[in-house]
Amino acid sequence: MADEDDTVHYTGSEGGWGSMRGIFETALRERPRPGVLDTLRRQNKVEGFMCVSCAWGKPAKPHAFEFCENGAKATLWELTTLRCTPDFFAQHTVTELKGWKDYDLEQTGRLTQPMRYDSATDKYVPCSWEEAFTAIGTELKALDPGSTVFYSSGRASLETSYLYALFARLYGHNNLPDSSNMCHETTSVALKEVIGSPVGTCVLDDLEHCDAIFFFGQNPGTNSPRLLHPLQEAVKRGCRIVTFNPIRETGLVSFKNPQSPVEMLTPKSTKISTLYLQVKAGGDIAAITGMIKHVLAAEEAKWAKDQQHVLDMDFIAQHTAGFEEMKAHADATSWDQIEAESGLSRADIEEAAQIYVESEKAICMYGMGLTQHVHGFHNLTTLTNLWLLRGNIGRQGAGISPVRGHSNVQGQRTVGISEKPELVPLDKLADQYGFAPPRDHGLNTVAACQGILEGKVKAFIGLGGNFVRAIPEQAAMEEAWVKMRLTVQIATKLNRSHLINGEVAYLLPCLGRSETDMQAGGAQAVTMEDSLSCVHGSLGKNTPASRHLKSEVAIVAGMAKATLAPNAKVPWDRWVGDYATIRDAIAETYPDLFHDFNDRVFTPGGFYKGNAARERVWKTKSGKAQFTVPNGMRSIGFDDAPGRFRLITLRSNDQFNTTIYGYSDRLRGVEGTRDVVLMNPKDIAEAGLREGQVIALKTDAGDDVHRQVGGLTVMPFLLPRGCIGAYYPEMNPLIPVWYHDEASQVPAAKGVPVRIVA
Ligand SMILES: Nc1nc2c(c(=O)[nH]1)N[C@H]1C(S)=C(S)[C@@H](COP(=O)(O)OP(=O)(O)OC[C@H]3O[C@@H](n4cnc5c(=O)[nH]c(N)nc54)[C@H](O)[C@@H]3O)O[C@H]1N2
Ligand SMILES: Nc1nc2c(c(=O)[nH]1)N[C@H]1C(S)=C(S)[C@@H](COP(=O)(O)OP(=O)(O)OC[C@H]3O[C@@H](n4cnc5c(=O)[nH]c(N)nc54)[C@H](O)[C@@H]3O)O[C@H]1N2
Ligand SMILES: [Mo]
């Protein structure tokens, strides 16, 4: 564990009055519309509206207020009374707006009208929907479909996503990257390989039965706060929590439940982690291998002493392959190497492993701290090794639970948004819609970036998100971006990606999920899939931010109709008029997962899609759950060198990805600014720096490209030596586009090699 130091910033417990204040301050800024309280009351409830923030599961028996600080902020952000109107655009050139901060751009409020970029005046000008669709269709028809990219951020509903993917394939490509490519694609690749399922194996009920939960690189206090409730309940019934994270994240240290009057009015809070290990960024393969060594040693000792097993021998024999090779590798790895690579002591790792051994049922949860690394794949397969040893997959109270990001990011993949044709039932689509779907591999996020840099990609459509700000290699990308022929952004609020435009550019404003979606067939509900594979319906009830807005479904259909030849089997207008007919189409394409879809839309707690691995059916190459050998002991992609640091790009408690709600990272004690570098006090001293000094960070990745971000204030913080922290997305210009997980190509945003420029 990193040594304590008085000079580092202190924070209290997560939740409590701080989170109430956080909601209140957002409310003051956003000046929400009158319906907001009612909306919050309906948030994440059956026949209510599903939060636009994180993807964490929604219980069948919700709390009185089933939302968290950040869920409330997301709702307030969407229901703001502020408006970004054509008048605003008339007053500012796009070049001027490029100088604005992310926060200030979104603070202009909801977009109200479709806009076209006019390069002669360097301004956005209003246009009609018809003009926009016709122009987009004309441009797309003139382009080779293979040279176009249809991106989606993980918010759009199952209905929109299904149509969007179908549009891409009817048009002629599989270039369907989504935010998952920067996020949990590592999970989709690694878990698929070793347990045959691209998603986690847990359901909410498992949290009520486990004896231990291990957190690796996931920060629930900030990113999935509703998870803190089941976590607190688990701790109260004696479940032990062990955390591996370079940073002592407040939500994993202690929690004050804002819904508990006793905790709110007294100093009481619940201690969350029994053991908190500040592993070095990129040190998890080593730490987990150390745990495996301890479990194997415990097996030998127990067998010698009383002929009983620590390993689940029956499970290993019946359900797994590769155990001997994995064991040989763990045996051959020395504790010296494990301590050096993880930055943890053998005693600490053994203590964590002993908790694992003593727990009959264990769950592991993980996030970006494992997936966003060059060897992120091996982080996950090594973690799976440990979980297989004691048969902790496929029984109640046990399992692997990746905590997903965007509210429907998992669901988008389920209904066809994928650059990987092998994951999509193309034959079924061919049959259902009478066409020949493209069979070649499409572009994922990194490949799309490379294609844009090389000038091969000519058009980009963004279904939500802030692609240019979220991706790596930002400087070069912005330069290349403007050379594209067509860029289209479908969005609710203005962001930086809307200011970097192709020759022909449209900004199309859409309804938010909390708003009434009125179509020919009446008010429409949409659906999404949470991180625990449950599908929920969501019904917006607020008056739309502007009468000119269209739903995402209508926008996708509008572009598709203007681009594609009419096809009697593809009834765009009927689909837009009644989303139940889209759900029927989804059910036809995916009968196993979505049979009787319309009858199940409002199932309390969502309807569970099922997961073969949970039933111990392994859809892997070997037909077994697969033990594997990692390709090394570190998940970062470079060697240590004097002056070279491992940069972790961080999310604050006051942002949702590139949306910055404010400048208060209350849980880490960073207030009033995001332009900071968090550093261990000893590293500050050794580098000859002092607290408060303003420095720059420069990428040290061994290529000739100059990448630098300046204006950052040094702030002492309890991090392992050699690791520094600074905020995402501000640091994205530092990440080389080629610096990504080898298997999934997720950018390695948690271990970027940098130097300090004083
Ligand atoms: N309020 C809010 N909620 C969000 C988001 C948001 O931005 N704001 N984003 C949403 C999205 S899209 C996503 S994907 C999720 C992201 O949620 P998380 O998966 O929690 O992602 P991060 O906060 O980026 O990083 C998680 C943790 O990894 C730790 N870490 C960094 N490097 C390492 C390492 O090498 N090893 C280990 N063990 N830990 C490491 C960091 O200290 C951090 O605590 O949250 C979603 N929810
Ligand atoms: N350095 C670094 N980079 C990262 C990460 C990191 O940890 N570090 N994390 C990565 C991860 S996990 C992710 S998921 C990506 C996120 O990348 P994206 O998903 O592309 O980005 P967001 O910031 O979530 O997108 C915000 C924008 O979405 C639009 N929006 C909001 N609601 C809606 C809606 O209902 N409909 C539509 N159409 N638009 C809407 C708004 O205009 C808003 O400005 O970033 C990745 N980049
Ligand atoms: Mo994400």
Side-chain angles (χ1 to χ4, degrees):
M1 190 181 279
D3 35 12
E4 305 283 332
D5 190 302
D6 294 342
T7 59
V8 298
H9 289 259
Y10 165 80
T11 52
S13 47
E14 158 58 337
W17 294 111
S19 72
M20 298 306 281
R21 200 187 64 219
I23 297 174
F24 190 66
E25 282 170 359
T26 311
L28 276 181
R29 273 196 307 265
E30 302 289 349
R31 292 183 249 148
R33 293 178 239 168
V36 74
L37 269 183
D38 197 44
T39 303
L40 287 173
R41 219 173 283 127
R42 295 177 61 241
Q43 193 148 321
N44 299 326
K45 305 236 179 100
V46 182
E47 307 213 6
F49 128 88
M50 293 301 138
C51 184
V52 290
S53 193
C54 80
W56 180 247
K58 286 106 188 149
K61 291 197 192 94
H63 295 86
F65 296 100
E66 188 59 41
F67 61 86
C68 66
E69 172 181 0
N70 282 310
K73 283 183 187 172
T75 302
L76 293 167
W77 176 92
E78 190 167 291
L79 291 179
T80 178
T81 47
L82 304 172
R83 296 290 178 269
C84 182
T85 61
D87 277 352
F88 169 84
F89 287 110
Q91 285 159 27
H92 304 278
T93 63
V94 165
T95 305
E96 181 204 331
L97 292 173
K98 274 187 207 158
W100 289 30
K101 292 217 170 239
D102 300 293
Y103 171 83
D104 297 311
L105 290 174
E106 295 208 13
Q107 205 54 34
T108 56
R110 289 285 299 277
L111 296 163
T112 61
Q113 251 174 271
M115 307 294 290
R116 174 176 60 80
Y117 176 62
D118 176 43
S119 55
T121 56
D122 187 29
K123 283 182 177 170
Y124 269 112
V125 293
C127 66
S128 69
W129 282 104
E130 206 180 80
E131 179 202 324
F133 290 150
T134 306
I136 293 164
T138 306
E139 292 295 331
L140 288 178
K141 278 189 271 191
L143 288 168
D144 165 13
S147 73
T148 69
V149 166
F150 289 14
Y151 170 70
S152 26
S153 164
R155 259 189 212 203
S157 64
L158 292 172
E159 291 79 2
T160 308
S161 304
Y162 178 83
L163 294 192
Y164 193 56
L166 181 62
F167 172 26
R169 298 200 166 93
L170 287 164
Y171 172 52
H173 68 76
N174 287 308
N175 296 338
L176 287 160
D178 85 350
S179 57
S180 169
N181 289 139
M182 303 180 240
C183 186
H184 268 290
E185 188 64 19
T186 321
T187 296
S188 311
V189 174
L191 293 193
K192 180 92 186 70
E193 173 102 2
V194 292
I195 62 169
S197 159
V199 300
T201 67
C202 291
V203 296
L204 270 181
D205 172 75
D206 290 321
L207 289 162
E208 291 170 25
H209 295 94
C210 56
D211 303 309
I213 305 175
F214 289 74
F215 273 92
F216 290 86
Q218 202 270 333
N219 183 13
T222 288
N223 297 322
S224 46
R226 286 183 301 107
L227 165 54
L228 295 177
H229 292 282
L231 214 53
Q232 189 189 34
E233 280 154 25
V235 171
K236 285 187 173 159
R237 63 170 175 78
C239 172
R240 286 190 280 180
I241 314 283
V242 177
T243 298
F244 288 82
N245 194 314
I247 294 179
R248 279 181 72 81
E249 302 286 20
T250 309
L252 287 163
V253 176
S254 62
F255 177 54
K256 210 186 236 298
N257 186 346
Q259 305 202 6
S260 155
V262 176
E263 294 194 359
M264 290 297 278
L265 297 172
T266 62
K268 204 168 170 276
S269 63
T270 306
K271 181 179 177 217
I272 299 290
S273 293
T274 318
L275 183 63
Y276 203 116
L277 301 180
Q278 287 184 268
V279 63
K280 273 202 241 178
D284 298 273
I285 299 175
I288 299 164
T289 303
M291 287 179 71
I292 291 172
K293 279 178 86 75
H294 179 81
V295 176
L296 294 171
E299 163 69 22
E300 263 180 47
K302 189 155 184 182
W303 184 250
K305 191 162 159 268
D306 44 33
Q307 267 84 69
Q308 283 184 341
H309 290 294
V310 164
L311 303 183
D312 185 338
M313 292 307 209
D314 292 343
F315 176 81
I316 293 174
Q318 195 190 333
H319 287 288
T320 70
F323 172 77
E324 290 304 332
E325 294 87 329
M326 191 280 306
K327 178 175 184 304
H329 173 265
D331 288 343
T333 307
S334 73
W335 276 107
D336 283 351
Q337 197 187 355
I338 287 169
E339 289 189 321
E341 291 294 349
S342 66
L344 301 172
S345 71
R346 174 173 178 174
D348 277 345
I349 296 173
E350 290 190 325
E351 191 181 340
Q354 190 55 32
I355 293 176
Y356 180 71
V357 166
E358 288 164 11
S359 305
E360 196 203 319
K361 292 168 270 179
I363 290 175
C364 60
M365 300 197 144
Y366 67 85
M368 300 300 99
L370 292 195
T371 63
Q372 294 178 332
H373 277 294
V374 170
H375 304 300
F377 175 91
H378 295 275
N379 275 335
L380 305 191
T381 54
T382 309
L383 185 57
T384 306
N385 287 340
L386 178 60
W387 249 247
L388 293 177
L389 284 178
R390 288 179 42 77
N392 267 318
I393 298 182
R395 57 191 171 88
Q396 191 186 41
I400 291 194
S401 190
V403 184
R404 302 259 173 179
H406 274 297
S407 50
N408 194 34
V409 64
Q410 187 169 312
Q412 296 193 327
R413 292 306 212 197
T414 305
V415 295
I417 293 198
S418 177
E419 72 283 359
K420 295 171 183 157
E422 67 275 17
L423 300 182
V424 184
L426 294 180
D427 293 335
K428 179 75 216 176
L429 289 175
D431 190 43
Q432 198 171 338
Y433 300 110
F435 77 118
R439 301 272 166 177
D440 43 339
H441 215 276
L443 302 175
N444 62 15
T445 290
V446 161
C449 290
Q450 278 157 343
I452 293 166
L453 287 170
E454 290 163 14
K456 289 181 189 155
V457 172
K458 309 284 187 207
F460 179 95
I461 297 183
L463 177 58
N466 189 359
F467 190 80
V468 186
R469 193 62 169 143
I471 52 170
E473 206 76 81
Q474 203 182 307
M477 280 302 297
E478 289 194 3
E479 242 173 73
W481 196 268
V482 296
K483 295 179 188 145
M484 277 191 280
R485 172 65 191 167
L486 174 71
T487 55
V488 179
Q489 302 284 359
I490 301 158
T492 49
K493 284 200 187 170
L494 184 65
N495 64 44
R496 186 160 181 94
S497 296
H498 310 150
L499 306 175
I500 322 291
N501 288 326
E503 285 170 45
V504 177
Y506 286 89
L507 177 52
L508 307 180
C510 65
L511 291 173
R513 196 184 290 161
S514 58
E515 292 170 327
T516 305
D517 185 351
M518 192 56 75
Q519 303 293 349
Q524 302 298 316
V526 291
T527 52
M528 46 234 67
E529 175 183 336
D530 67 30
S531 210
L532 305 171
S533 305
C534 289
V535 177
H536 308 260
S538 176
L539 193 60
K541 286 202 170 166
N542 291 280
T543 309
S546 147
R547 66 194 162 84
H548 302 293
L549 302 183
K550 279 192 186 291
S551 73
E552 291 179 319
V553 164
I555 296 172
V556 169
M559 294 189 301
K561 266 181 73 176
T563 308
L564 306 171
N567 173 345
K569 292 186 162 177
V570 187
W572 296 109
D573 290 335
R574 186 154 66 92
W575 281 334
V576 174
D578 180 1
Y579 298 177
T581 61
I582 309 176
R583 289 187 286 275
D584 286 337
I586 295 175
E588 191 181 335
T589 310
Y590 304 92
D592 292 348
L593 303 179
F594 289 102
H595 60 87
D596 307 310
F597 194 1
N598 279 307
D599 297 336
R600 295 192 290 161
V601 166
F602 290 114
T603 307
F607 69 84
Y608 184 51
K609 256 177 41 192
N611 181 333
R614 194 177 160 77
E615 313 301 324
R616 298 194 164 175
V617 174
W618 315 102
K619 296 183 174 174
T620 58
K621 281 180 213 132
S622 61
K624 304 263 184 186
Q626 193 65 47
F627 282 104
T628 52
V629 172
N631 66 347
M633 274 297 117
R634 55 170 59 173
S635 37
I636 54 168
F638 54 92
D639 293 328
D640 290 322
R644 182 183 284 165
F645 287 91
R646 303 175 180 195
L647 169 68
I648 303 170
T649 57
L650 298 168
R651 292 175 154 76
S652 90
N653 179 58
D654 216 7
Q655 77 183 84
F656 190 92
N657 297 337
T658 67
T659 293
I660 312 302
Y661 298 128
Y663 295 90
S664 167
D665 196 357
R666 174 169 62 75
L667 301 176
R668 300 201 188 99
V670 183
E671 296 289 343
T673 177
R674 295 173 52 86
D675 299 324
V676 291
V677 180
L678 312 181
M679 263 181 107
N680 184 295
K682 291 187 177 140
D683 282 337
I684 296 179
E686 196 176 288
L689 304 171
R690 56 186 161 68
E691 176 172 2
Q693 188 171 342
V694 177
I695 55 125
L697 292 178
K698 184 176 145 198
T699 309
D700 183 23
D703 62 5
D704 291 332
V705 181
H706 177 75
R707 303 180 188 87
Q708 187 164 322
V709 173
L712 304 170
T713 301
V714 173
M715 182 168 162
F717 205 85
L718 264 190
L719 273 159
R721 298 291 305 270
C723 300
I724 60 177
Y727 290 113
Y728 145 64
E730 288 83 346
M731 295 306 114
N732 284 38
L734 295 173
I735 309 174
V737 67
W738 51 262
Y739 193 70
H740 53 67
D741 177 46
E742 296 160 320
S744 65
Q745 301 205 331
V746 165
K750 296 294 184 268
V752 187
V754 293
R755 282 180 184 277
I756 289 167
V757 185

